[in-house]
Amino acid sequence: MKERRAGIALYRRGFLEALLAAGCGATTAESDGAGACLSDEPALGRIPFLDEGAQDLDVPVGEGLDGRLYTDLGQLDEGSLVVPNARFYVRTRTPDRIDYTKGWRIAVDGLVARPASFAAAELDARGRSLGVTLLECSGNARGGSFGLMSAAEWSGVPLRTLLDEVGADPGARVLVSGFDEHSRPSERSIPGASWIFSRADIESTGALLATRMNGEPLPRDHGFPVRLVVPGWYGCTCIKWVDTIRLVGDGEPSTPHMREFASRTHQDGEPPLARDYRPASIQLAAFPVRIERLARGRLRFTGIQWGGDDERPELDLVISSRAAVPVDVCVPRATRTTWGLWTATVDPLPSGTYDVTLISRRRNVPTRRLDTQYYRRSFAI
Ligand SMILES: Nc1nc2c(c(=O)[nH]1)N[C@H]1C(S)=C(S)[C@@H](COP(=O)(O)O)O[C@H]1N2
Ligand SMILES: [Mo]
């Protein structure tokens, strides 16, 4: 399929081509040279981030609900803004009680004119590409090097298409549930994964029942054969191993999964009714993914920015309590729901330990996680 190839081409695209496509030629010409788009001034070494836990990156660790893969974001550049499936972050590995011996079907029932069941294979055959979208775990944290986020190109069938086909009651809410039975109890997480959306949320986000990731069938750990992808919303709403879609009434209680993730998706308390949840959308955020030493003691920071609606946010880098330094968003996001890259070069710092955060220069943009320094990272000189 044409769209699928386009996504893979983006991942394989050469450095120069990606640079041009991202509009960096212009940025380079306009800037003073030192802060050129991901400048090719050679780095003399890397400065590690401190106090982020010692887990292995890019490999799966643990099983079931406690299983994780933390993606190493430190190497991201223009040519690798789509993460290969084997390195895409995992939150919850394949449930050991899943039965892959019979053909997978998804029941669509409840407040619908024509209850139906769709074979996963049929959805895959009908699938179209959504383009590149990132997922971020709402619990993405410093202890895991902020590695619970990745971007991929997803293909599948928009959920709204299936809702139209079954004649869903337009006022009903949409409960999406996935298989989640693990024989081993989790140390930290509650089993059972389901989220309830308003019909408007399904339509405005373009929520997709995905069967493919970067052109390949979904890997098991990413929800094979069908998962939900809700562009712009936290990963906890992106239910894996989807088996039931139920149209429910306005008084439907929130699910245990929604209550588990209430504070991480910035709700007021744990609302008992699904309709009292606000959209689990990701606001503008940014953090550095690497710090490099340059000649004469200067430091080059390279990072990601994502979330919110702004194509070209205006961000400042703040190193401990020093004056803010504007960053150059030199690789803007290819779609509104993926990430872009920024860079900033700063003057030499005296030895010591520093915190690094970013802030938005535009005051009217909501940036809850930047305001609370959620993505604060530390380093030493
Ligand atoms: N069935 C099921 N779906 C699930 C989960 C789960 O535990 N069970 N975890 C959710 C959470 S918290 C996140 S962040 C994303 C992670 O998707 P990934 O592992 O493909 O990156 O899946 C979501 N879907
Ligand atoms: Mo998550």
Side-chain angles (χ1 to χ4, degrees), residues 15-195:
F15 179 79
L16 186 62
E17 209 184 322
L19 213 73
L20 292 172
C24 281
T27 311
T28 308
E30 284 159 17
S31 61
D32 61 13
C37 182
L38 296 203
S39 75
D40 43 19
E41 179 177 349
L44 306 180
R46 280 277 273 274
I47 296 175
F49 294 107
L50 302 177
D51 307 326
E52 299 201 339
Q55 72 289 318
D56 291 329
L57 303 177
D58 284 348
V59 290
V61 289
E63 296 299 326
L65 275 169
D66 293 326
R68 301 282 186 273
L69 183 150
Y70 298 93
T71 302
D72 180 3
L73 302 179
Q75 311 294 338
L76 282 181
D77 65 31
E78 293 97 326
S80 63
L81 287 172
V82 177
V83 175
N85 292 355
R87 294 183 45 231
F88 196 100
Y89 90 87
V90 176
R91 195 285 187 190
T92 305
R93 300 193 60 205
T94 317
D96 59 355
R97 292 209 169 130
I98 205 161
D99 181 3
Y100 280 131
T101 61
K102 40 184 201 266
W104 192 273
R105 299 192 74 87
I106 296 146
V108 188
D109 58 23
L111 302 172
V112 303
R114 298 171 293 280
S117 128
F118 294 87
E122 177 200 333
L123 297 184
D124 188 45
R126 292 170 57 182
R128 301 280 309 270
S129 173
L130 178 79
V132 178
T133 283
L134 68 76
L135 300 190
E136 181 189 12
C137 183
S138 56
N140 188 22
R142 173 164 164 151
S145 300
F146 299 111
L148 293 182
M149 68 185 299
S150 302
E153 186 243 354
W154 306 94
S155 311
V157 176
L159 177 50
R160 74 177 295 175
T161 306
L162 296 197
L163 298 180
D164 290 342
E165 287 175 15
V166 300
D169 176 339
R173 286 174 193 278
V174 185
L175 166 71
V176 178
S177 318
F179 187 88
D180 214 37
E181 289 171 37
H182 304 259
S183 58
R184 225 168 323 155
S186 161
E187 285 165 25
R188 297 182 285 270
S189 300
I190 303 167
S194 50
W195 202 273

Side-chain angles (χ1 to χ4, degrees), residues 100 104 210 218-227 239-242:
Y100 280 131
W104 192 273
L218 286 180
R220 287 188 173 192
D221 281 348
H222 295 292
F224 179 82
V226 183
R227 76 166 309 156
I239 303 301
K240 302 195 276 192
W241 311 288
V242 170

Side-chain angles (χ1 to χ4, degrees), residues 65 91-92 137-138 175-180 189-197 227 234-241 253-265 267 270-271 277 280:
L65 275 169
R91 195 285 187 190
T92 305
C137 183
S138 56
L175 166 71
V176 178
S177 318
F179 187 88
D180 214 37
S189 300
I190 303 167
S194 50
W195 202 273
I196 299 170
F197 304 87
R227 76 166 309 156
Y234 284 111
C236 48
T237 66
C238 300
I239 303 301
K240 302 195 276 192
W241 311 288
S254 52
T255 65
H257 185 81
M258 292 170 82
R259 292 195 289 274
E260 179 181 3
F261 287 96
S263 75
R264 283 172 263 178
T265 58
Q267 309 299 328
E270 291 183 10
Y277 276 65

